[in-house]
Amino acid sequence: MVETVLRYRTDEPVGDPAVTVDAFAAQSNATAVRIEPGDDALALLPHLERIALIEVNFPSFADGRGYSAARSLRERGYTGELRAVGDVLIDQLSHMRRCGFDSFAPDKPISAEAAEAAFATWPEVYQQTVDGRAPIWAARHPAAKA
Amino acid sequence: MYQYDQHDQAMVDARVAEFRGQVARRLSGELTEDQFKPLRLKNGLYLQLHAYMLRVAVPYGTLNSAQMRVLGDIADKYDRGYGHFTTRQNIQYNWIKLADAPDILADLAKVQLHAIQTSGNCIRNTTADHFAGAAADEVADPRPYAELLRQWSTFHPEFDYLPRKFKVAIIASETDRAAMRLHDIGIQIVKNEAGEIGCKFFAGGGMGRTPMIAPCIAEFVPALQMISFLEAALRVYNRHGRRDNKYKARIKILVHEIGVAEYSRQVQEEFAHILTLGLEPPPAELERIKGMFADPGLESGLSDDLDRSDPDFALWVDQNVHTHKQAGYAIVTISLKPVGGIPGDATAYQIRLMADLARDYSLDELRVSHAQNIVLPHVKKADLYRVWQALDAAGLATPNLDLITDIIACPGLDYCALANARSLPLAQKITDRFADIGRQRELGELKLKISGCINACGHHHAGHIGILGVDRKGVENYQLLLGGAESADTSLGTITGPGFSEDGVVDAIEKVTDVYLARREGAERFLDTYRRIGMAPFKEAIYG
């Protein structure tokens, strides 16, 4: 099966396959890891230096744990590729991007044009997250921006 | 009241456009019902037994007259001429056509209303004290905090696929008029010894099949850290809330299973991290919002005199009018519980009339209460008689607030796909049985709540008298509960014993009230007597 990946980074993609969190802990040279919904993403914190790709699996779009995993990793300094895989649908892309995902490997391929339209769903945002978008309160109070 | 600026308007308009596209994809067959379902639920559109139901958000239960009028117009234009006000301070329309839904949302957006997050496993519309801004006992108006919360929770990218729905209620006085501790998160705005405003947080309350009263998880969080604390509380829940069983997925189960101490510890740890990120809206934003709620235009120096010569008016004043913080003003509650009526229903004509009265006599404000009534929060005492006359002429002056016929009921099997039994005909029968207002007043404060299934949308656990409809071998059966309460002394009701038929449960309620009348001491309410003498005498009367 050809995997279609939507990628929004300029660096070279990682060639290594992503391994499970348990396997990753045992392999000191692994650079790509896959998180399942029940995994503790923060267990990866001591190893962020050597990780180039973290895949976050969504077995069902309705299981939202991956959003917290992604945003938590970004908040704590992870700058490598963060990829949402699995049951990733067009209607979730925008929120995923806001939580720090910068690549997507949906089970059912999504076209780049459709993805762009999804990212543009909301002209503005209310919350400050990890995507660099200024929240509405910052636009209202430019002087108060930290 | 809060007014949208161009940013708020752009967000709501974007949602209407998005949903219009999704409905078009569904109508053309591009989306299957399975694919469409989670999308329509995010816009409050349910598929019920007979038609689509649209649930419109009334943020923290506050409306202006223009908004109320549009709610009436929608009932006429797209429904069957009425709407149903709910225990979530929202309004629902029960006979909606899918193709009309985007136009309804567009009509709502023109008056700064929407149906965003009124369903789905996300942060739902925030509810609040329906006397906010008018009550004499509040330490602050809770609505600016609720508005800050509304903005933060709107399209929150991390918390749109939680284990289960998530309801937040906010109050600012010791008297809890919002059943705050029966919510996933309850916030009480408090003042500390230094005179600073902050939030006392409760977590893990709820009704449903496992009712729980929320324990306190933080005594005082500075008001300017409220959003950061909520981020932490939600994140811990999103990570660890159960997803293996939808009946164990609410935060109350998590708090119960890991314990309030451990849940609080994890929240504090995450809170400390989140405070380093600087994602709290600045003080200027809270001040901006507060400014819009500060002064609704109250006059000072007005007289408290009232002409009580009309006995029907005096009766209504005694039962449905509350003290306002400002001399010369009163808080009016319009009962949507006439004898023989459906609790919470109002016709388009009645909705527009209430809008007009708010415009002319209540500084343009209305509230929806979680008890399914409407509040005019700022009425001059000098205008009360005129307001009462107008309400009376429209069938809206039932003087039964907090009496046995002021029933909370879910839509039940008449509308709801989840229900096991009908709630509405039973509510009608009970009001018929206790129709005499003198008898109701003799019974005093008596909160009766009916749910048509174990999901407890009718708050039966929190009723002084609660009724739960169940399905027993294909026949509707009603269990009776006594001793629930939702105020500062929140408690959960206890089942009396075997259930009853529809008529049987009305008889049983009558026996219960007879026991109360025979056994009460002094000024005891029903609830007080029950708490003093316990279940046994009631059981004896019902089953003996």
Side-chain angles (χ1 to χ4, degrees):
Chain A
M1 191 180 92
V2 179
E3 194 177 53
T4 310
V5 179
L6 296 162
R7 196 164 184 277
Y8 304 91
R9 298 178 63 90
T10 52
D11 55 357
E12 280 299 306
V14 178
D16 299 353
V19 299
T20 66
V21 171
D22 285 348
F24 178 82
Q27 297 172 27
S28 61
N29 60 346
T31 61
V33 60
R34 172 181 289 217
I35 302 176
E36 298 297 331
D39 290 337
D40 180 9
L42 301 186
L44 298 174
L45 289 183
H47 313 289
L48 291 189
E49 289 288 304
R50 68 170 159 113
I51 303 177
L53 169 66
I54 298 176
E55 291 186 348
V56 178
N57 188 28
F58 289 84
S60 157
F61 77 86
D63 188 332
R65 283 177 282 190
Y67 295 87
S68 286
R71 190 172 168 213
S72 295
L73 286 165
R74 288 293 190 221
E75 284 172 356
R76 288 166 171 86
Y78 176 64
T79 56
E81 183 169 345
L82 195 51
R83 180 182 294 171
V85 306
D87 191 20
V88 174
L89 307 174
I90 186 85
D91 298 286
Q92 283 92 52
L93 284 192
S94 171
H95 280 1
M96 288 180 168
R97 191 84 185 267
R98 297 218 63 218
C99 287
F101 287 105
D102 54 10
S103 74
F104 304 89
D107 286 343
K108 283 188 205 157
I110 294 170
S111 75
E113 297 74 35
E116 284 303 326
F119 295 138
T121 302
W122 284 289
E124 301 183 71
V125 294
Y126 278 119
Q127 313 81 7
Q128 178 163 309
T129 62
V130 290
D131 61 348
R133 291 183 76 175
I136 286 170
W137 52 255
R140 283 176 180 147
H141 309 282
K145 180 82 181 89
Chain B
M1 261 185 69
Y2 188 73
Q3 293 292 318
Y4 282 7
D5 63 3
Q6 78 271 20
H7 304 287
D8 297 307
Q9 191 67 50
M11 295 297 277
V12 170
D13 290 346
R15 182 55 155 224
V16 175
E18 182 198 32
F19 191 56
R20 198 178 285 285
Q22 290 166 342
V23 169
R25 282 155 68 201
R26 173 70 190 111
L27 290 173
S28 74
E30 184 187 331
L31 289 177
T32 66
E33 170 55 23
D34 278 352
Q35 292 167 324
F36 181 58
K37 186 177 173 185
L39 307 177
R40 65 170 163 77
L41 285 180
K42 296 271 189 248
N43 289 282
L45 195 64
Y46 283 74
L47 190 54
Q48 296 201 127
L49 288 176
H50 312 292
Y52 282 100
M53 177 271 278
L54 180 70
R55 181 181 292 155
V56 176
V58 178
Y60 35 92
T62 293
L63 291 163
N64 62 30
S65 67
Q67 293 172 324
M68 188 71 162
R69 191 165 299 109
V70 165
L71 294 182
D73 291 345
I74 287 172
D76 260 347
K77 198 168 160 190
Y78 303 104
D79 202 285
R80 296 185 178 179
Y82 62 93
H84 178 73
F85 291 96
T86 78
T87 58
R88 296 271 309 136
Q89 299 182 308
N90 294 324
I91 184 169
Q92 295 180 179
Y93 298 100
N94 282 313
W95 304 97
I96 294 300
K97 291 187 193 73
L98 177 58
D100 287 338
D103 292 336
I104 301 174
L105 294 188
D107 286 0
L108 290 168
K110 284 181 196 145
V111 288
Q112 309 186 354
L113 286 174
H114 58 75
I116 294 164
Q117 288 167 214
T118 56
S119 178
N121 292 337
C122 53
I123 304 169
R124 301 288 188 88
N125 184 38
T126 300
T127 54
D129 184 345
H130 50 267
F131 287 173
D137 60 349
E138 65 187 16
V139 302
D141 188 335
R143 291 173 300 163
Y145 303 91
E147 171 59 26
L148 204 60
L149 218 156
R150 181 192 74 82
Q151 295 184 27
W152 165 75
S153 61
T154 297
F155 309 136
H156 196 297
E158 186 177 338
F159 306 127
D160 217 14
Y161 295 93
L162 294 167
R164 200 73 178 86
K165 59 187 169 185
F166 203 91
K167 301 173 181 175
V168 183
I170 184 161
I171 65 171
S173 52
E174 285 300 323
T175 305
D176 179 5
R177 287 172 285 260
M180 178 269 290
R181 293 183 69 190
L182 293 169
H183 287 74
D184 295 285
I185 282 191
I187 302 174
Q188 182 182 353
I189 301 293
V190 292
K191 221 176 231 179
N192 67 8
E193 285 172 3
E196 297 154 336
I197 296 285
C199 305
K200 184 173 181 179
F201 275 94
F202 298 82
M207 298 202 226
R209 60 189 67 207
T210 317
M212 290 191 190
I213 299 166
C216 177
I217 58 163
E219 288 288 340
F220 188 88
V221 173
L224 291 170
Q225 297 178 354
M226 178 182 80
I227 297 300
S228 299
F229 192 88
L230 282 164
E231 292 264 7
L234 265 293
R235 180 175 285 175
V236 172
Y237 168 59
N238 192 39
R239 270 192 202 141
H240 300 301
R242 286 181 60 173
R243 292 176 188 264
D244 57 325
N245 178 341
K246 76 179 265 198
Y247 301 116
K248 295 183 189 288
R250 295 286 287 271
I251 191 177
K252 62 191 175 188
I253 303 294
L254 174 68
V255 172
H256 180 72
E257 286 184 352
I258 70 173
V260 61
E262 174 59 15
Y263 174 73
S264 306
R265 187 195 66 73
Q266 291 188 26
V267 171
Q268 288 293 346
E269 190 176 294
E270 193 66 28
F271 181 43
H273 157 72
I274 285 170
L275 284 177
T276 67
L277 303 174
L279 46 73
E280 188 83 24
E285 177 60 6
L286 183 58
E287 290 309 312
R288 183 187 75 91
I289 298 171
K290 274 186 186 169
M292 288 189 251
F293 287 102
D295 177 19
L298 296 167
E299 296 171 34
S300 53
L302 296 181
S303 166
D304 275 322
D305 288 347
L306 201 58
D307 178 354
R308 296 171 53 95
S309 53
D310 182 331
D312 290 337
F313 170 65
L315 182 67
W316 176 79
V317 168
D318 289 341
Q319 203 61 48
N320 287 36
V321 174
H322 283 84
T323 306
H324 196 282
K325 66 180 180 185
Q326 183 89 345
Y329 284 87
I331 306 171
V332 167
T333 302
I334 302 169
S335 168
L336 299 183
K337 319 289 178 65
V339 167
I342 289 173
D345 270 15
T347 65
Y349 171 78
Q350 289 175 323
I351 294 171
R352 284 191 288 258
L353 177 88
M354 291 187 278
D356 290 345
L357 291 174
R359 180 196 59 205
D360 296 341
Y361 299 109
S362 183
L363 302 177
D364 211 39
E365 273 191 44
L366 306 105
R367 311 286 170 74
V368 183
S369 83
H370 87 276
Q372 303 182 276
N373 292 315
I374 301 294
V375 173
L376 298 175
H378 309 297
V379 181
K380 283 180 192 167
K381 287 191 176 155
D383 291 330
L384 273 179
Y385 191 65
R386 248 170 307 206
V387 169
W388 173 77
Q389 284 178 309
L391 291 171
D392 194 38
L396 288 169
T398 312
N400 66 343
L401 187 68
D402 293 336
L403 300 180
I404 191 168
T405 60
D406 183 11
I407 296 171
I408 287 181
C410 72
L413 199 51
D414 289 291
Y415 294 103
C416 179
L418 302 172
N420 297 123
R422 289 171 298 163
S423 307
L424 303 178
L426 176 58
Q428 291 168 309
K429 274 192 179 164
I430 294 169
T431 60
D432 286 338
R433 179 74 65 94
F434 290 91
D436 179 68
I437 191 65
R439 185 181 184 194
Q440 290 184 47
R441 286 173 62 82
E442 177 65 20
L443 290 171
E445 183 185 301
L446 215 174
K447 299 192 178 183
L448 196 151
K449 303 175 196 263
I450 307 172
S451 302
C453 83
I454 200 162
N455 291 311
C457 297
H459 297 187
H460 65 276
H461 300 296
H464 299 172
I465 296 177
I467 299 170
L468 168 63
V470 296
D471 176 301
R472 213 181 60 183
K473 296 172 187 157
V475 180
E476 289 163 275
N477 187 268
Y478 296 91
Q479 294 180 348
L480 190 61
L481 297 86
L482 302 178
E486 61 187 2
S487 305
D489 56 348
T490 307
S491 60
L492 301 170
T494 306
I495 295 176
T496 56
F500 306 89
S501 67
E502 190 175 284
D503 288 324
V505 79
V506 182
D507 293 338
I509 291 166
E510 196 159 31
K511 288 175 186 160
V512 163
T513 59
D514 289 343
V515 170
Y516 160 65
L517 290 176
R519 298 289 302 271
R520 73 173 161 193
E521 291 179 0
E524 274 183 345
R525 301 170 300 163
F526 171 84
L527 183 66
D528 304 321
T529 302
Y530 171 81
R531 284 176 174 169
R532 180 172 54 79
I533 69 177
M535 176 65 90
F538 294 98
K539 226 171 162 160
E540 171 69 24
I542 303 168
Y543 301 105

